[in-house]
Amino acid sequence: MAEGAPWLTIIGLGEDGPDGLTGASRAALEAAEIVMGPPRHLSLLPDLPGQRVDWPVPFADGLDLLAGFSGRQVVVLASGDPFWFGAGSVIARRFARGDWRALPGPSVFSLAAAHLGWPLEKVLCLGHHAAPLTRLRPHLARGVQMIVTLRDGAAVRDLAAYLSTLGFGASQLWVMEAMGGPRERVTEVRADVVPEGFEHPVAVAVQVAGEGKPLPHASGLDDGVFHSDGVMTKRPVRALTLSALAPKPFEVLWDIGGGSGSVGIEWLLCHPTTEAIAIEPRADRIGLITANATALGVDRLRVVEGKAPEALADLPTPDAVFIGGGLSVALLDWLYAHVPAGTRLVANAVTLESEAVLMAAHRARGGTLFRIELSEAAPLGPRTGWKAAYPVVQWSVVL
């Protein structure tokens, strides 16, 4: 091995085995002292000079094993494009950039799109080997085209059942087994009549159809989307709250007094890189928050049981803070003392006592103070009148 050259080569291998490899990939395999990969990948290769090593389960154990081969000529096999929902990024995080090089092959997404004639740049590509199917929820709307990789053949029926349960049983599925290889098989079927008998490796292309209700992409989801015990930031106020919080990519929210988790969940739905931490003192509401996050397909919501400010001490630094419950002078003082300058703070108050806290904070610290008064048309005897909700006072400020 030349001095300074990478000792590790990550090769993307398709179901057609060595026939689909480039000259550079075949040369790396011939020169390798060790060829490491899942048994299925290794079985696709002919006899080679190097030693074959099965990648162990769980996957993380293989990283330590691989590290023990450092300095030797090593090839690691991965499916298709190792950096598209593959093992490549995990390996790259473990080893220095100068230690490895990558020789990718066609991804299953590329093969599936080519088979169907779909423009890949307009297709939603998702890896669901280990992820819950509920992550699909924000993407489900009539007309959406997606390609989803699954853990095994049995998961095809799980996907179909999930779509059908949400009212998207009319979706057209193309179940694609062993794409690109001699065992390739494509089965076209509706989601509500999917048979059994599919085998790994499998991906499913979906043309979403049906009468299911898609989630809006604007802030302020319908209140009925969330399970609640009645304590929840209602839709119009939630929309104004999210507007004031102004979520941006890669930002972290503290949702203090999480309640049903509605504000934190909508923050997460704004962008796939956002994160949120819900702080809730009541154990019974922890379950509500978790159930709502799962049902709406967000898995980046961390829930902390405890009372602010005590429960805030060891949390990751926020970019924005929402106080929907537990407002007090002591909490505001703690936030000003411990949260970095530039953090956006939004607090809502309904009671006269909490309103007084916000009015005093506005006088002392500035920011913007709103009084939100909403009325909804409702029956009034044989006629219709305005039914007023409790007014909400909202204070927003940059710390």
Side-chain angles (χ1 to χ4, degrees):
M1 183 168 60
E3 178 144 2
W7 58 270
L8 171 61
T9 301
I10 306 168
I11 292 179
L13 184 68
E15 288 297 308
D16 53 356
D19 291 342
L21 293 178
T22 64
S25 295
R26 287 195 294 269
L29 281 169
E30 289 291 339
E33 300 174 55
I34 295 168
V35 180
M36 187 174 174
R40 182 175 65 83
H41 290 77
L42 293 173
S43 69
L44 296 173
L45 297 177
D47 291 336
L48 293 167
Q51 174 190 355
R52 297 181 183 227
V53 177
D54 288 353
W55 193 286
V57 178
F59 182 85
D61 291 351
L63 296 173
D64 291 334
L65 182 60
L66 179 58
F69 300 137
S70 176
R72 303 173 67 182
Q73 285 276 49
V74 181
V75 163
V76 167
L77 302 174
S79 296
D81 185 343
F83 289 89
W84 203 345
F85 297 109
S89 59
V90 180
I91 295 171
R93 285 197 297 269
R94 174 65 181 270
F95 299 99
R97 182 61 190 87
D99 287 342
W100 58 270
R101 63 171 179 157
L103 301 173
S107 71
V108 67
F109 303 107
S110 297
L111 295 171
H115 178 87
L116 295 169
W118 287 0
L120 192 55
E121 74 276 6
K122 297 180 180 179
V123 176
L124 182 64
C125 298
L126 299 169
H128 277 257
H129 301 89
L133 291 171
T134 50
R135 284 193 193 172
L136 295 175
R137 185 65 185 96
H139 308 296
L140 295 179
R142 288 185 299 276
V144 169
Q145 293 177 325
M146 63 175 71
I147 300 170
V148 184
T149 60
L150 298 173
R151 69 178 185 276
D152 55 30
V156 175
R157 295 260 298 181
D158 297 337
L159 170 62
Y162 180 69
L163 293 171
S164 299
T165 299
L166 293 174
F168 296 103
S171 298
Q172 200 68 21
L173 308 186
W174 290 264
V175 183
M176 300 181 169
E177 302 167 82
M179 285 298 289
R183 297 188 299 114
E184 176 178 307
R185 183 175 67 155
V186 179
T187 305
E188 184 176 353
V189 64
R190 272 177 50 128
D192 50 8
V193 291
V194 168
E196 296 180 346
F198 299 109
E199 295 184 1
H200 181 73
V202 64
V204 180
V206 183
Q207 176 83 45
V208 181
E211 300 304 318
K213 293 182 178 180
L215 295 180
H217 283 193
S219 296
L221 296 180
D222 188 273
D223 293 343
V225 168
F226 301 96
H227 296 290
S228 170
D229 60 2
V231 178
M232 181 176 71
T233 304
K234 299 300 191 290
R235 182 182 62 81
V237 176
R238 192 179 336 116
L240 292 170
T241 299
L242 267 294
S243 176
L245 288 168
K248 300 175 182 66
F250 297 99
E251 288 193 330
V252 177
L253 170 72
W254 285 359
D255 180 5
I256 300 175
S260 66
S262 61
V263 171
I265 289 170
E266 288 216 39
W267 168 280
L268 294 172
L269 288 171
C270 288
H271 197 272
T273 64
T274 53
E275 298 181 31
I277 304 169
I279 300 93
E280 172 55 54
R282 287 181 47 171
D284 57 332
R285 289 181 179 158
I286 299 294
L288 278 176
I289 296 171
T290 302
N292 283 326
T294 298
L296 294 174
V298 296
D299 60 354
R300 306 180 312 282
L301 180 62
R302 175 181 170 188
V303 184
V304 174
E305 183 176 350
K307 185 177 180 180
E310 295 81 7
L312 307 176
D314 298 321
L315 299 183
T317 302
D319 299 284
V321 176
F322 171 60
I323 305 175
L327 176 66
S328 67
V329 173
L331 175 56
L332 293 180
D333 288 344
W334 189 95
L335 290 170
Y336 265 88
H338 293 86
V339 173
T343 302
R344 304 184 299 280
L345 170 65
V346 178
N348 290 350
V350 178
T351 67
L352 292 175
E353 292 80 3
S354 55
E355 181 178 322
V357 172
L358 292 189
M359 293 178 68
H362 177 248
R363 286 194 299 270
R365 305 183 187 275
T368 302
L369 196 66
F370 284 116
R371 181 179 169 90
I372 305 166
E373 298 187 69
L374 299 168
S375 297
E376 184 177 3
L380 184 61
R383 298 177 180 271
T384 304
W386 291 110
K387 182 179 180 181
Y390 285 113
V392 176
V393 172
Q394 182 178 95
W395 180 52
S396 58
V397 68
V398 178
L399 302 183

